[in-house]
Amino acid sequence: MNLAIINFGSGNLHSVHKAFESVSSDLSNPYNIIVTNDPKEIQSADKIVLPGVGAFGDCKNAILNIEGLHASLEASVIKNKVPFMGICLGMQLLADLSYEFGTHSGFGWIPGEVRRITSPKEYKIPHMGWNEITFSDHKLFDNCEQGSDFYFVHSFYFQNQKNEHSIATTKYPDQITAAVCKENICGTQFHPEKSHINGKKIIHNFLEWKP
Amino acid sequence: MLKKRIIPCLDVDNGRVVKGVNFIDLVDAGDPVEQAIIYNAEGADELCFLDITASSDNRDTLLEVVKKTAENCFIPLTVGGGVRNLDDISRLLHFGADKVSINTAAVDNIDLVAEAANKYGSSTIVIAVDAKETAENQWKVFTHGGRKETNIDVVTYCNEVAKLGAGEILLTSMDRDGTKSGFDNKLLKAVTSKVNVPVIASGGVGNLSHLLDGILEGEASALLAASIFHFGQYSIGEVKRYLADNNIPVRI
């Protein structure tokens, strides 16, 4: 089984790679984990992870500028229903639109818009650090406890239409989408690769997930 | 509720921890990776490495340390010390740092803050500020490890770097650093009340109540400490239990 972590030149790829490798190595059938932007390798992957750190528009453009990358993701995730996980900006990219430094279109895979967090003055932006989540019944949260802490760092959030694809939320102080899922596509606003034991559970559950 | 973060900081010279430690189960007291693993297991919310290697020729030793730490600790890792340009940041991120802290280089060239934040995201860029009180309730930025005074006002500077895209500010009081007499909470409050990004308090922690004061009086989002952890005075767990007993939200 191959798991592809998409490399489009964004931030902490090494962290994501090592966290997935560490969790996978404990499985009876560990994944072959590759960090890649090669459309062929992506299309032969059994699971796909899109990490992302940075600004929405820049990251979207970086993906579009790698020949065949966006098309191979669409082919795998939309057509072939390969299980997919977006992390942080990788989750926000699933939305229709983002208002981060202008207006940018996203992948449009999960209905929603990405907007700046508005909060009272005493709530610093970015929303940075460990915050607890409330989740609904979903494979991604197997063996997790309600109210567990995860590591967040973001200034924009995924605004879900009618919350229909939201599977977890956090509060800062208003409710913020912490995870989304639609069929074979899931995403977390928090960083499972930086969320210690709780994060490892999420990664483990994604590796075992059969949507 | 968002938790207040406890961040142990390790000074690293030529790939070795400078300040001694006395963890009883540590095989090699000078190995930063081993200490990072212990802090991680104890419940540290993040880790911070400060590279104080004098010669830039030997800086690569730190990259190995960062790489091994990232392979073993799945919590955020901030690395600073001697970061001059985008290449330095890129290299640290590539080896597994999650955030990079910039000090003197940001003062010398303020454009670097915006360039770095645009390229790597605000969440990746920490601006470290060394502050010294030069007149009552007035603090100036110092650079080059605190050796060089500038005429820059700390609050003004912090506001400026936040506007340019810094994700957080690591604010060290030079007056308090190493004194164990508590954070400079007036300095902290002056910055946290005016700047809308998280501020990490640094310099001066000697006991548990100092940590509490940094949050209640200084209104810091996170607390950085070195010696109280290195010398085994308190464990991360003890610090968190104390703060929790005093109604501070912490991750336990």
Side-chain angles (χ1 to χ4, degrees):
Chain A
M1 297 273 274
N2 292 319
L3 182 142
I5 297 172
I6 308 299
N7 176 11
F8 59 94
S10 163
N12 70 342
L13 274 177
H14 185 80
S15 290
V16 177
H17 186 197
K18 289 300 150 193
F20 275 78
E21 217 166 59
S22 165
V23 175
S24 173
S25 67
D26 292 335
L27 299 177
S28 48
N29 283 315
Y31 280 80
N32 173 38
I33 297 173
I34 43 173
V35 177
T36 182
N37 59 20
D38 177 1
K40 278 203 196 100
E41 286 188 320
I42 291 165
Q43 292 215 44
S44 66
D46 303 287
K47 284 200 173 158
I48 297 174
V49 175
L50 180 67
V53 175
F56 192 102
D58 290 352
C59 289
K60 176 82 192 302
N61 287 334
I63 290 169
L64 294 180
N65 286 338
I66 297 169
E67 205 183 324
L69 176 56
H70 187 254
S72 65
L73 285 172
E74 288 248 329
S76 291
V77 180
I78 301 300
K79 188 160 155 267
N80 297 329
K81 305 282 179 200
V82 170
F84 171 97
M85 180 187 234
I87 298 173
C88 195
L89 189 79
M91 170 183 113
Q92 297 185 352
L93 283 165
L94 303 175
D96 300 309
L97 267 183
S98 167
Y99 295 101
E100 183 175 0
F101 304 126
T103 307
H104 309 274
S105 61
F107 294 171
W109 292 354
I110 295 186
E113 294 182 348
V114 177
R115 293 177 183 276
R116 190 169 176 83
I117 299 171
T118 49
S119 55
K121 189 177 157 285
E122 63 270 31
Y123 288 81
K124 305 291 184 191
I125 303 289
H127 170 222
M128 182 185 286
W130 299 80
N131 207 341
E132 64 229 38
I133 65 162
T134 306
F135 53 83
S136 53
D137 184 25
H138 191 281
K139 169 74 187 171
L140 214 53
F141 297 106
D142 270 7
N143 298 315
C144 292
E145 277 178 42
Q146 289 289 0
S148 308
D149 288 314
F150 289 86
Y151 190 82
F152 289 83
V153 49
H154 61 125
S155 304
F156 288 73
Y157 74 105
F158 191 115
Q159 193 183 48
N160 223 208
Q161 310 301 339
K162 300 176 208 152
N163 283 340
E164 61 182 334
H165 301 293
S166 170
I167 56 169
T169 58
T170 187
K171 282 189 169 171
Y172 193 66
D174 294 335
Q175 188 166 291
I176 285 175
T177 308
V180 291
C181 184
K182 185 187 168 193
E183 300 170 13
N184 58 314
I185 303 166
C186 72
T188 63
Q189 180 62 64
F190 55 81
H191 288 268
E193 79 280 11
K194 293 283 112 192
S195 295
H196 204 214
I197 294 163
N198 291 336
K200 284 184 150 190
K201 287 180 189 168
I202 303 289
I203 293 171
H204 176 89
N205 293 337
F206 175 70
L207 295 178
E208 302 264 278
W209 188 36
K210 295 185 185 76
Chain B
M1 189 182 279
L2 188 67
K3 308 300 186 291
K4 297 294 181 183
R5 291 170 281 152
I6 305 300
I7 309 173
C9 179
L10 295 162
D11 288 353
V12 181
D13 185 8
N14 280 313
R16 308 284 293 170
V17 175
V18 181
K19 289 172 184 166
V21 290
N22 60 358
F23 287 114
I24 39 173
D25 51 355
L26 211 57
V27 180
D28 177 354
D31 182 356
V33 180
E34 264 201 65
Q35 287 178 49
I37 289 170
I38 289 175
Y39 287 144
N40 177 50
E42 281 187 344
D45 295 311
E46 299 189 19
L47 295 166
C48 181
F49 286 147
L50 181 63
D51 188 19
I52 57 166
T53 307
S55 160
S56 55
D57 298 345
N58 296 333
R59 287 257 161 78
D60 287 352
T61 54
L62 182 79
L63 296 176
E64 257 326 287
V65 170
V66 170
K67 182 163 172 268
K68 284 195 193 131
T69 304
E71 284 165 8
N72 289 286
C73 300
F74 302 110
I75 55 173
L77 171 63
T78 300
V79 184
V83 174
R84 304 295 311 166
N85 50 45
L86 295 178
D87 284 347
D88 292 341
I89 299 169
S90 182
R91 203 172 304 119
L92 288 167
L93 294 175
H94 178 76
F95 276 82
D98 298 290
K99 308 185 209 180
V100 173
S101 103
I102 312 171
N103 192 328
T104 302
V107 177
D108 288 350
N109 170 22
I110 195 92
D111 295 337
L112 179 63
V113 180
E115 286 166 19
N118 289 339
K119 183 153 188 203
Y120 303 106
S122 287
S123 57
T124 305
I125 306 303
V126 182
I127 298 300
V129 181
D130 290 339
K132 196 170 165 61
E133 193 166 17
T134 51
E136 201 180 345
N137 292 329
Q138 203 179 318
W139 296 267
K140 290 278 160 62
V141 175
F142 279 63
T143 60
H144 299 83
R147 292 187 304 277
K148 204 170 153 191
E149 182 174 353
T150 72
N151 201 28
I152 303 167
D153 175 68
V154 167
V155 179
T156 309
Y157 178 70
C158 289
N159 250 322
E160 193 174 355
V161 295
K163 287 202 180 90
L164 290 170
E168 65 184 335
I169 289 164
L170 168 53
L171 183 58
T172 302
S173 161
M174 290 173 53
D175 301 304
R176 298 301 180 92
D177 203 25
T179 64
K180 292 185 165 283
S181 60
F183 293 118
D184 184 343
N185 293 312
K186 280 201 307 185
L187 163 69
L188 279 169
K189 185 66 194 281
V191 175
T192 56
S193 63
K194 291 274 168 54
V195 180
N196 190 35
V197 298
V199 173
I200 306 169
S202 158
V205 177
N207 62 41
L208 293 173
S209 67
H210 292 155
L211 292 160
L212 185 62
D213 293 343
I215 293 169
L216 296 180
E217 291 172 30
E219 297 182 9
S221 296
L223 307 169
L224 185 114
S227 51
I228 59 161
F229 296 129
H230 297 335
F231 298 107
Q233 190 181 346
Y234 304 108
S235 70
I236 308 261
E238 279 174 295
V239 165
K240 290 197 166 183
R241 275 190 297 277
Y242 170 81
L243 292 175
D245 287 345
N246 285 279
N247 301 317
I248 302 297
V250 287
R251 181 180 69 104
I252 291 185

